[in-house]
């Protein structure tokens, strides 16, 4: 059985619940297609998140890494196309406020995802779930961990697929937040299961 490292994030900024935590923990230990899932939750901290992610990669030696993040305000499930070499944005949970900083000095300016994102979108649509490819993961923690995983794969010349999927708020979060669009937890979970199935099928073909 192949190994998938699935990560979620803890709550951050004004988002008191991070729906990616529940999805990651519910899928932990499950098998989808050819993949056995190992889930971990990452801190919203520019100085720690990348290191933690790389330590989980070293620990599990996964065949693929999918990281999940909340994009509060988005309406659809959005697999990301590209990660860029920048840390910038609002303060993280430890108070680091970074501006225009490169993630890795000698790293490429950007890396494309190695997940089959077009097939993921097609499958999500066939299952009746709103989804589209996103061309920007932003410059905050989500972009950071996507970049770190892709840089690691490139540097190690590892045959490890990696990428990132942003999800909208769950209804549970939308209720406490008050002003963001949402999807049900069940649909978000179904959407991520579909993305993992597509990853597995893509590698068989
Ligand atoms: N979303 C943030 C960081 C953590 C999360 O779930 C982002 O989009 O960068």
């Amino acid at each position: 059985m192949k190994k998938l490292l699935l990560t979620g994030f803890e709550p951050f900024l004004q988002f008191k619940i991070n729906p990616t935590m529940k999805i990651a923990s519910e899928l932990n230990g499950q098998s989808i297609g050819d993949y056995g899932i190992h889930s971990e939750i990452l801190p919203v901290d520019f100085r720690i998140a990348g290191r933690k992610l790389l330590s989980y990669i070293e620990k599990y030696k996964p065949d693929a890494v999918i990281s999940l993040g909340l994009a509060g305000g988005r309406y659809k499930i959005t697999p990301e196309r590209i990660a860029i070499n920048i840390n910038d944005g609002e303060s993280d949970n430890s108070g680091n406020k970074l501006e225009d900083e490169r993630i890795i000095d000698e790293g490429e300016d950007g890396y494309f995802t190695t997940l089959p994102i077009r097939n993921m979108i097609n499958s999500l649509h066939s299952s009746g779930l709103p989804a589209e490819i996103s061309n920007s993961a932003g410059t905050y923690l989500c972009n950071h961990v996507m970049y770190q995983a892709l840089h690691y794969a490139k540097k190690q010349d590892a045959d490890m697929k990696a990428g990132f999927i942003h999800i909208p708020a769950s209804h549970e979060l939308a209720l406490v937040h008050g002003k963001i669009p949402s999807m049900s937890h069940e649909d978000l979970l179904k959407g991520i299961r579909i993305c993992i199935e597509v990853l597995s099928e893509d590698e068989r073909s």
Side-chain angles (χ1 to χ4, degrees):
M1 173 138 280
K2 290 182 177 175
K3 277 188 238 167
L4 174 72
L5 172 61
L6 181 70
T7 68
F9 269 113
E10 63 184 14
F12 64 104
L13 297 173
Q14 73 273 37
F15 306 112
K16 304 295 174 219
I17 295 169
N18 195 325
T20 64
M21 280 178 78
K22 196 164 163 188
I23 294 172
S25 70
E26 284 185 19
L27 292 178
N28 189 30
Q30 292 198 24
S31 305
I32 299 177
D34 297 335
Y35 279 97
I37 300 171
H38 300 269
S39 298
E40 296 288 351
I41 304 302
L42 298 174
V44 177
D45 180 320
F46 277 113
R47 300 294 181 225
I48 300 176
R51 221 184 314 138
K52 282 239 162 170
L53 177 71
L54 297 186
S55 76
Y56 295 134
I57 292 174
E58 299 279 346
K59 174 176 171 192
Y60 296 113
K61 307 204 180 332
D63 300 280
V65 182
I66 296 181
S67 293
L68 305 175
L70 165 69
R74 282 195 194 164
Y75 296 84
K76 300 179 180 181
I77 297 173
T78 46
E80 297 291 343
R81 195 192 302 271
I82 185 166
I84 59 175
N85 194 359
I86 281 291
N87 288 325
D88 188 296
E90 296 189 63
S91 291
D92 66 18
N93 286 355
S94 303
N96 300 302
K97 169 103 181 70
L98 305 185
E99 220 172 51
D100 306 335
E101 180 190 275
R102 284 177 84 81
I103 299 172
I104 295 173
D105 279 340
E106 72 287 1
E108 302 284 338
D109 289 342
Y111 292 111
F112 286 116
T113 185
T114 46
L115 300 178
I117 55 173
R118 179 63 64 192
N119 290 347
M120 287 176 176
I121 298 299
N122 293 340
S123 249
L124 289 163
H125 285 171
S126 310
S127 302
L129 293 173
E132 70 184 357
I133 290 176
S134 162
N135 292 310
S136 174
T139 54
Y140 197 51
L141 264 297
C142 293
N143 172 73
H144 181 93
V145 300
M146 179 178 175
Y147 186 91
Q148 292 270 11
L150 287 163
H151 179 75
Y152 177 93
K154 180 83 186 278
K155 204 182 60 185
Q156 305 290 321
D157 205 13
D159 199 18
M160 180 188 84
K161 298 270 185 319
F164 199 94
I165 303 174
H166 262 123
I167 61 168
S170 58
H171 294 332
E172 190 189 8
L173 169 60
L175 272 170
V176 292
H177 183 283
K179 277 195 173 155
I180 37 176
S182 55
M183 285 171 64
S184 69
H185 168 72
E186 290 68 31
D187 278 349
L188 292 170
L189 184 67
K190 179 174 153 194
I192 299 309
R193 292 187 71 95
I194 289 169
C195 290
I196 299 169
E197 273 159 25
V198 169
L199 172 68
S200 173
E201 280 159 21
D202 193 71
E203 289 170 358
R204 279 188 202 154
S205 59

